[in-house]
Amino acid sequence: MTIQEALLDYFDKFEGITRKGKDKYTSLEYLGVDTIFGITTNPDAMGGVISTDVIGNQIKGHSFMFSAYFVYTQDVITMIENSEFFEELMYWIAKNNKQGILPEFNDGRVPLRLELIQTPYLFMVDESGKHAQYTVTYRLVYKERKV
């Protein structure tokens, strides 16, 4: 299982995501009116290696943006709802970290935690001015054993 697949499966469990069919709500590298949640990988320095122990096992990090494509308006209620989604998401991830509920691998890698790298922010407004991409950045920290 790839890191991206593990992340998609993990975020699938967040109840704040309105589902429109499995292939319609969370995507990799794509957002749009029908696919409103997406995960985009960020570049990591040194292949994501955080540390290496004396026998060669590594602690690695995989940073990514979790984005949402929401209605963009001057209406304060809509703005609050957009912000509330990310507050609930951050709380859910923090709670899961404490309980050891993390993305799962089936290849020997061991997830350790999800770290908040950058708080949610307005990333961009589309050309129509009616929708906007909001983004939060996380890093999945995991252990990879020497092969």
Side-chain angles (χ1 to χ4, degrees):
M1 175 178 291
T2 67
I3 292 174
Q4 290 83 358
E5 288 172 316
L7 290 170
L8 286 172
D9 287 345
Y10 177 77
F11 283 101
D12 178 42
K13 297 174 178 94
F14 177 56
E15 293 179 3
I17 293 177
T18 304
R19 287 155 174 77
K20 297 181 181 180
K22 187 157 179 76
D23 61 340
K24 298 282 187 194
Y25 62 90
T26 304
S27 174
L28 290 171
E29 317 287 337
Y30 174 79
L31 288 176
V33 175
D34 290 332
T35 306
I36 61 171
F37 301 103
I39 296 169
T40 304
T41 298
N42 291 338
D44 287 304
M46 299 172 38
V49 176
I50 297 170
S51 66
T52 303
D53 66 20
V54 293
I55 60 172
N57 296 321
Q58 295 181 324
I59 302 296
K60 290 185 168 183
H62 176 84
S63 63
F64 63 94
M65 296 185 326
F66 181 89
S67 298
Y69 194 68
F70 290 146
V71 171
Y72 182 69
T73 177
Q74 293 180 2
D75 177 53
V76 174
I77 299 297
T78 301
M79 288 182 211
I80 291 171
E81 289 171 352
N82 293 347
S83 295
E84 182 180 27
F85 170 84
F86 282 102
E87 284 183 25
E88 290 173 1
L89 179 68
M90 291 187 310
Y91 173 77
W92 180 77
I93 291 171
K95 185 176 80 172
N96 283 350
N97 272 337
K98 287 181 183 177
Q99 296 175 353
I101 301 169
L102 297 163
E104 297 175 8
F105 297 106
N106 61 2
D107 61 2
R109 290 179 284 189
V110 179
L112 303 175
R113 66 189 170 277
L114 275 170
E115 296 176 336
L116 178 65
I117 302 295
Q118 191 171 39
T119 56
Y121 63 98
L122 174 64
F123 185 74
M124 64 141 234
V125 177
D126 72 3
E127 293 174 7
S128 72
K130 295 180 181 178
H131 292 90
Q133 178 180 343
Y134 298 85
T135 297
V136 62
T137 305
Y138 276 94
R139 177 168 66 173
L140 172 62
V141 179
Y142 61 96
K143 184 174 187 173
E144 188 171 273
R145 299 193 187 285
K146 181 180 179 184
V147 183

